[in-house]
Amino acid sequence: MAALGWLTPRRRPATARSVLAGEAAAEAARKSALAAGPEDVPAALDEDREPAFPVAGDERAAAFFDLDNTVMQGAAIFHFGRGLYKRKFFQRRELTRFAWQQAWFRLAGVEDPEHMQDARDSALSIVKGHRVSELMSIGEEIYDEYMADRIWPGTRALAQAHLDAGQKVWLVTAAPVETATIIARRLGLTGALGTVAESVDGVYTGRLVGEPLHGPAKAEAVRALASAEGLDLERCAAYSDSHNDIPMLSLVGHPYAINPDTKLRKYARARDWRLRDYRTGRKAAKVGIPAAAGVGALAGGTAAAVAIHRRRR
């Protein structure tokens, strides 16, 4: 029953750390968007569009997209971890942990806060002492290696519809803001709200600013960004697969449940929210479980992690 606390921002108000994380994410997102030039945005893609929505020319509207399992199959932090392992940032036993968490995420199709927190703690310890610029450069390579082929075409088309209507489109994710910013730029989006890791003189300290951008913190980030950008949230849209993002979805006038988990699907149907499911294959019928069709097997440690798990059962 504890999960019910996420259902609305009123039932579980944001903590001071959530507000701090949200405001830090909004500030980082605006800085990265202002720094990007027109040459950073690729040409529009020819994909299916939503016919009646969004409203073209509405500059006070914007769209906010969750990343993991909404825009991209799997979790960005795990893909990033695999890329860092390839570059010898850490040892095989840590890769096995990353791989098992990713396998669980892919099979369950929902976020587990404990798993996600463990992954973030691991990532912070790994990047501590490294320069931000170094990780940004590596992140570009990791996107090409592990993430580019995992973008959901249907969700990408929804984002493009907002861009074509002249609206800004932001990713909102618990992934590191640097990783999220790379993904947003590669997709031609406006920018990204993500978890902000503290850095001093361009070097990571191993600490966060506030807390991970998860649950109520996402809503705080969207609220802060909307205020800074002069947006009308009633005219904005938000997209997510997870019931953890109900606080964010509830902020806007046009909430969408994308590839929804069981709790979000039920909540969305009760409120007549729009639903889209881009998963394919028979498993997609089982709410909350991503389809196996078209999904490449996880490299290296995943098979080993699953085998270890089975032996321990």
Side-chain angles (χ1 to χ4, degrees), residues 31-291:
K31 286 181 178 178
S32 63
L34 289 172
E39 66 277 6
D40 294 317
V41 182
L45 301 180
D46 286 329
E47 298 184 19
D48 293 337
R49 307 287 193 263
E50 287 273 281
F53 182 81
V55 178
D58 187 356
E59 296 183 355
R60 294 199 64 200
F64 302 93
F65 284 78
D66 169 56
L67 176 58
D68 297 344
N69 233 31
T70 302
V71 171
M72 181 177 68
Q73 298 175 42
I77 189 68
F78 300 134
H79 297 315
F80 188 64
R82 292 171 63 200
L84 292 182
Y85 169 76
K86 179 180 177 181
R87 291 158 178 83
K88 304 186 184 303
F89 271 68
F90 55 92
Q91 303 300 314
R92 177 171 289 276
R93 67 178 179 274
E94 293 168 298
L95 174 66
T96 300
R97 181 171 61 182
F98 268 109
W100 166 243
Q101 290 168 330
Q102 169 69 350
W104 185 93
F105 183 87
R106 294 273 293 271
L107 290 171
V110 295
E111 298 174 6
D112 180 280
E114 184 176 344
H115 282 186
M116 300 297 284
Q117 182 65 53
D118 186 37
R120 283 187 288 272
D121 290 343
S122 299
L124 284 170
S125 66
I126 290 166
V127 303
K128 182 179 179 180
H130 288 275
R131 298 198 67 82
V132 176
S133 58
E134 176 191 10
L135 270 294
M136 287 292 288
S137 178
I138 291 173
E140 297 280 358
E141 299 172 2
I142 292 174
Y143 176 84
D144 291 327
E145 293 168 2
Y146 298 112
M147 301 179 188
D149 292 338
R150 291 178 168 82
I151 303 300
W152 292 107
T155 312
R156 178 66 186 86
L158 290 173
Q160 189 62 49
H162 286 279
L163 293 171
D164 291 346
Q167 297 175 7
K168 293 183 177 180
V169 178
W170 306 83
L171 291 180
V172 188
T173 174
V177 67
E178 293 84 2
T179 301
T181 298
I182 290 169
I183 297 170
R185 187 176 67 252
R186 291 299 194 92
L187 296 178
L189 310 183
T190 307
L193 298 149
T195 297
V196 178
E198 182 185 75
S199 63
V200 176
D201 296 328
V203 177
Y204 289 111
T205 65
R207 296 186 294 270
L208 293 181
V209 178
E211 65 182 12
L213 202 70
H214 186 269
K218 282 189 178 182
E220 291 300 323
V222 169
R223 185 181 285 112
L225 184 63
S227 176
E229 293 276 313
L231 300 174
D232 181 353
L233 286 171
E234 278 299 313
R235 289 144 74 172
C236 292
Y239 301 78
S240 178
D241 71 295
S242 174
H243 69 279
N244 292 316
D245 288 339
I246 286 175
M248 177 181 75
L249 294 169
S250 299
L251 276 181
V252 301
H254 301 277
Y256 279 75
I258 305 294
N259 305 329
D261 62 31
T262 303
K263 292 179 181 178
L264 178 57
R265 183 180 292 266
K266 182 178 179 180
Y267 192 90
R269 282 179 170 169
R271 286 151 183 81
D272 200 29
W273 289 358
R274 299 180 187 182
L275 287 86
R276 299 286 187 273
D277 201 324
Y278 300 118
R279 296 166 292 192
T280 58
R282 197 166 60 181
K283 283 190 176 181
K286 299 179 180 180
V287 177
I289 301 180

